[in-house]
Amino acid sequence: MATITECRGALDRLSDNLARADGGVRGAAALDRTLSCHITDLDTTFTGRLADGRIEVLDTVQGPPPAKAQIRLAMSGDDLVAMVGGELNFAKAWASGRVKLEAGIRDLLRLRSLL
């Protein structure tokens, strides 16, 4: 089971990957939205912002997200680490229910190139 430190590291690597992306991926990540990522098996939520093509984690809280972020993710820590490491395909994990993504329709349309 992934630790909180490993999950935070995975989010930092994802942020670095988004910052280095080009073309459509960079454009999709250029949103300015609040973000939460609930790690279900650790019952921990990372909260922050997706802004300027980077994920900025501002807080780590125990339990579910304390406020409704504009983009909300939920998954196990192992799935987060595997996705960022390229071992788990986001679209397949999302379609199978292993990963949950909630956002407004416009944000989902912009994020589709990231998925």
Side-chain angles (χ1 to χ4, degrees):
M1 179 164 69
T3 66
I4 290 173
T5 302
E6 290 170 323
C7 292
R8 174 58 195 260
L11 287 172
D12 290 342
R13 283 190 307 282
L14 178 58
S15 179
D16 292 342
N17 293 345
L18 291 174
R20 286 192 302 267
D22 57 2
V25 171
R26 179 96 173 136
L31 298 169
D32 184 7
R33 300 287 188 268
T34 57
L35 176 75
S36 68
C37 182
H38 182 70
I39 307 302
T40 55
D41 56 333
L42 299 175
D43 196 25
T44 299
T45 301
F46 296 97
T47 62
R49 294 198 72 81
L50 173 62
D52 299 322
R54 294 196 66 87
I55 296 170
E56 179 184 5
V57 176
L58 300 173
D59 200 6
T60 304
V61 296
Q62 195 64 30
K68 187 175 177 179
Q70 293 166 308
I71 299 172
R72 300 167 299 283
L73 291 161
M75 68 195 78
S76 74
D78 288 340
D79 285 345
L80 173 62
V81 171
M83 277 193 310
V84 174
E87 301 156 14
L88 178 64
N89 179 278
F90 181 89
K92 289 180 182 178
W94 184 42
S96 70
R98 288 174 66 177
V99 173
K100 295 186 180 9
L101 169 65
E102 297 177 41
I105 189 71
R106 288 183 183 175
D107 289 338
L108 287 173
L109 291 172
R110 290 214 41 208
L111 291 169
R112 73 181 182 267
S113 66
L114 298 176
L115 311 178

